[in-house]
Structure formats: C-alpha cells, structure tokens
Amino acid sequence: MRLIVNGQVGDYPEGITVRRLLEALGIEKKPVAVELNRGIVPRQELDQKLLKENDTLEIVTFVGGG
C-alpha cells in the first residue's frame, strides 16, 4: 500500500495502523505528533486508526534541549 510520510512515498502492508507505522519507522517510543490527511490523530487513537492507500502523514518528533 502506498503512503506518503513526511513527503516521502513508501510501500507499507495493507491494514497497517498508525501505531504499527510508527513501529516500522522506529519511532514508536518517542513523543510524536501525527497528522493524517491534515487532521491530528489523538494519541489514544493510534492503535485503532487504519491507514488507506495514498494517505498522507506528517510525523513530528519532539526534541528536548536547552
């Protein structure tokens, strides 16, 4: 299935959830904000939100520092 993640086109398994995508990208344990097709995905919905062909996601990770 074709997804666009942070401007990059990639192929991912059918029926993948946002949480599984984060795991595939190696960022599931980091604090992130996920935008799906221009709408924010609440953290409590990451496990249930199924992705579809041509969905567009922006994933932002937070970096601490001083």
Side-chain angles (χ1 to χ4, degrees):
M1 168 174 72
R2 177 181 181 265
L3 298 174
I4 303 163
V5 180
N6 292 349
Q8 301 294 315
V9 177
D11 290 316
Y12 299 91
E14 292 286 332
I16 193 170
T17 63
V18 174
R19 172 80 63 209
R20 293 285 182 203
L21 175 64
L22 294 175
E23 290 172 1
L25 296 172
I27 56 176
E28 76 278 7
K29 295 189 185 340
K30 297 180 181 177
V32 297
V34 179
E35 180 183 279
L36 172 60
N37 300 325
R38 299 188 175 252
I40 299 295
V41 179
R43 180 169 286 288
Q44 65 270 21
E45 293 180 17
L46 295 178
D47 289 321
Q48 296 87 23
K49 183 64 79 173
L50 291 175
L51 299 173
K52 302 180 300 290
E53 181 79 21
N54 295 315
D55 275 347
T56 300
L57 297 103
E58 291 294 328
I59 302 170
V60 178
T61 59
F62 298 97
V63 179

